[in-house]
């Protein structure tokens, strides 16, 4: 015979009793061997997913369907977000395209009008010079000539209105500070009325359309006196 002692079992005695039966721990009774069961280390432990499934009321197929539905919802949300970003980018591209087309159209319009205006401006200059010259002698002219001169003034005024309707405006000169970007100094001379570097007289009117210069104004500019230097 072997001298080894029998291996002690790791089983834990557990008693099962109904709710109406008295608790043996309270009356000092002993456990009845007939109602004792054992839980061994070798008994299988229920899986966590099985417990969760039992608690939530979902089985294997229902749980898998729930996970798949959530994944599909996440995918659709990502697609919706990407679609919104794509629409926003397309709207921004279209707005930039619209602004570029409008800018190019405006520049093309100003270029065409400017080319036509450059050909009309010399005619307008000659009309202004003729009217300025006739103003000094019209008092000595006949009544018929003064009527004729009045008709020329009306034509000159109408032509100026047409030029202005095209967006062409004259450049302010007399009394303004000399600006080499819009003024062209033809004569410089000292002046008692104006400060140095001030336009004292406009010899030929300048014009612009929008921000584009059609022709600089030809002007006379006040210069510093020798004793002021």
């Amino acid at each position: 015979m072997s001298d080894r002692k029998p291996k002690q079992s790791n089983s834990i005695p557990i008693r099962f009793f109904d709710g109406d039966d008295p608790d043996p721990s309270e009356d000092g009774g002993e456990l009845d061997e007939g109602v004792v069961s054992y839980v061994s280390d070798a008994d299988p432990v229920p899986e966590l997913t099985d417990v969760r499934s039992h608690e939530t009321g979902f089985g294997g197929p229902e749980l898998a369907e729930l996970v798949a539905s959530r994944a599909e919802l996440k995918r659709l949300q990502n697609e919706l977000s990407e679609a919104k970003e794509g629409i926003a980018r397309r709207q921004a591209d279209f707005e930039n395209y619209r602004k570029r087309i409008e800018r190019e159209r405006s520049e093309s319009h100003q270029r065409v009008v400017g080319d036509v205006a450059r050909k009309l401006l010399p005619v307008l200059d000659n009309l202004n010079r003729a009217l300025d010259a006739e103003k000094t002698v019209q008092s000595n002219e006949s009544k018929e000539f003064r009527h004729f001169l009045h008709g020329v003034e009306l034509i000159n005024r109408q032509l100026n209105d047409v030029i202005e309707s095209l967006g062409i405006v004259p450049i302010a000169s007399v009394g303004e500070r000399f600006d080499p970007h819009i003024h062209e100094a033809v004569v410089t001379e000292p002046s008692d009325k104006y400060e140095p570097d001030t336009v004292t007289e406009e010899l030929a009117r300048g014009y612009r359309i929008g921000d584009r210069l059609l022709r600089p104004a030809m002007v006379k500019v006040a210069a510093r006196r020798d004793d002021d230097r």
Side-chain angles (χ1 to χ4, degrees), residues 169-183:
V169 295
I171 296 173
S173 298
V174 178
E176 298 291 330
R177 185 80 174 177
F178 176 75
D179 185 354
H181 296 95
I182 58 176
H183 298 141

Side-chain angles (χ1 to χ4, degrees), residues 68-213:
S69 299
R70 289 181 177 177
E72 180 67 12
L73 177 62
K74 184 65 175 177
R75 185 185 67 82
L76 293 176
Q77 288 176 342
N78 292 335
E79 290 183 358
L80 178 61
S81 178
E82 292 176 359
K84 288 181 178 180
E85 292 178 359
I87 292 174
R89 286 195 298 269
R90 285 178 174 81
Q91 287 178 343
D93 293 340
F94 177 76
E95 186 66 19
N96 293 332
Y97 170 77
R98 185 183 62 81
K99 290 180 179 179
R100 186 176 71 252
I101 292 299
E102 290 180 356
R103 183 175 63 253
E104 292 177 354
R105 184 181 302 170
S106 176
E107 291 175 355
S108 177
H109 172 75
Q110 291 182 1
R111 183 170 58 253
V112 173
V113 172
D115 292 341
V116 175
R118 287 191 184 93
K119 298 178 181 180
L120 291 177
L121 291 180
V123 179
L124 188 61
D125 292 338
N126 291 331
L127 279 175
N128 290 328
R129 293 190 187 98
L131 292 174
D132 291 339
E134 293 299 332
K135 285 179 181 178
T136 59
V137 297
Q138 66 176 342
S139 58
N140 299 327
E141 297 294 337
S142 62
K143 184 177 180 180
E144 289 78 9
F145 182 79
R146 286 197 295 271
H147 285 301
F148 171 77
L149 187 60
H150 180 67
V152 175
E153 290 176 350
L154 292 177
I155 294 173
N156 181 64
R157 191 179 306 164
Q158 186 178 11
L159 183 57
N160 277 285
D161 292 340
V162 171
I163 293 295
E164 185 177 355
S165 67
L166 295 175
I168 301 172
V169 295
I171 296 173
S173 298
V174 178
E176 298 291 330
R177 185 80 174 177
F178 176 75
D179 185 354
H181 296 95
I182 58 176
H183 298 141
E184 182 177 345
V186 179
V187 181
T188 58
E189 62 181 12
S191 174
D192 296 331
K193 183 178 179 181
Y194 296 99
E195 294 290 332
D197 297 330
T198 303
V199 177
T200 60
E201 185 179 348
E202 182 182 72
L203 305 178
R205 185 168 297 178
Y207 294 90
R208 65 170 28 150
I209 176 171
D211 296 332
R212 185 180 181 185
L213 181 66

